[in-house]
């Protein structure tokens, strides 16, 4: 039958309603005419864009949840001082990451006290507890424990608990 202008016999129409058509204009992605199915942004037939959506819900965004649980994050918001995501290292009282406070502990055992031993071996001292006593003894016979010095000038430097003897032969 010959189609008249503007008229197409029903029997000449395809499933899409196209006169002398081949059902291609209304095929869904599932190859079924008039199914209404199409490819989503993820190239899934009849899909809802969820199979390729990032954690932000946007198809093909590539956004993922980082180690800190932040969508699209860079895992830095939960880093400890050692730069480990969700790590447990913290700065000690000396400012040392993961330290135990001993690197700045004074001789008094207090972190950050700054106390050290003085020349007299007194913690936090100012060297005044071991006054230096210099004694110059003229040549003479002297008795020191376990020895006798004859005709020797002796310079004694006496510190607390320490005796140093310097001799010079005359």
């Amino acid at each position: 039958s010959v189609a008249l202008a503007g008229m197409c016999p029903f029997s000449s129409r395809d499933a899409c309603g196209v006169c002398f058509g081949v059902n291609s204009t209304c095929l869904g992605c599932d190859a079924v005419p008039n199914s209404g199915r199409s490819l989503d942004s993820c190239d899934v037939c009849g899909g809802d864009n969820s199979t390729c959506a990032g954690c932000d819900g946007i198809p093909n965004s590539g956004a993922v949840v980082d180690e800190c649980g932040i969508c699209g994050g860079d895992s830095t918001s939960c880093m400890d001082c050692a730069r480990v995501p969700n790590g447990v290292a913290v700065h000690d009282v000396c400012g040392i990451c993961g330290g135990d406070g001993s690197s700045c502990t004074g001789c008094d055992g207090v972190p950050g006290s700054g106390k050290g031993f003085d020349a007299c071996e007194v913690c936090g001292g100012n060297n005044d507890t071991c006054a230096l006593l210099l004694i110059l003894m003229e040549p003479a016979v002297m008795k020191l424990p376990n020895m006798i010095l004859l005709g020797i000038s002796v310079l004694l430097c006496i510190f607390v608990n320490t005796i140093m003897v310097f001799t010079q032969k005359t």
Side-chain angles (χ1 to χ4, degrees):
S1 66
V2 176
L4 301 173
M7 300 285 293
C8 182
F10 184 76
S11 60
S12 298
R13 295 177 188 252
D14 67 5
C16 302
V18 175
C19 190
F20 303 108
V22 291
N23 296 326
S24 63
T25 58
C26 68
L27 284 180
C29 59
D30 57 358
V32 176
N34 295 313
S35 70
R37 291 189 156 202
S38 61
L39 294 175
D40 68 1
S41 297
C42 306
D43 288 329
V44 174
C45 181
D48 61 1
N49 295 324
S50 64
T51 59
C52 66
C55 59
D56 55 3
I58 300 171
N60 299 309
S61 72
V64 294
V65 175
D66 70 1
E67 292 181 76
C68 303
I70 307 296
C71 178
D74 61 2
S75 297
T76 59
S77 63
C78 64
M79 283 187 177
D80 64 7
C81 61
R83 306 213 30 90
V84 175
N86 298 309
V88 296
V90 295
H91 287 96
D92 67 4
V93 295
C94 304
I96 306 298
C97 179
D100 62 1
S102 64
S103 65
C104 67
T105 299
C107 59
D108 57 356
V110 177
S113 72
K115 290 187 178 181
F117 289 101
D118 68 2
C120 306
E121 295 192 27
V122 174
C123 180
N126 60 2
N127 300 320
D128 65 354
T129 59
C130 59
L132 178 63
L133 175 62
L134 296 176
I135 303 171
L136 178 60
M137 298 183 170
E138 291 302 318
V141 175
M142 297 175 27
K143 277 186 140 178
L144 290 175
N146 300 323
M147 64 181 181
I148 297 177
L149 301 175
L150 297 173
I152 298 175
S153 293
V154 177
L155 178 63
L156 292 176
C157 296
I158 303 173
F159 287 94
V160 173
N161 298 325
T162 305
I163 297 178
M164 293 185 287
V165 178
F166 300 95
T167 62
Q168 178 180 4
K169 200 159 198 164
T170 55

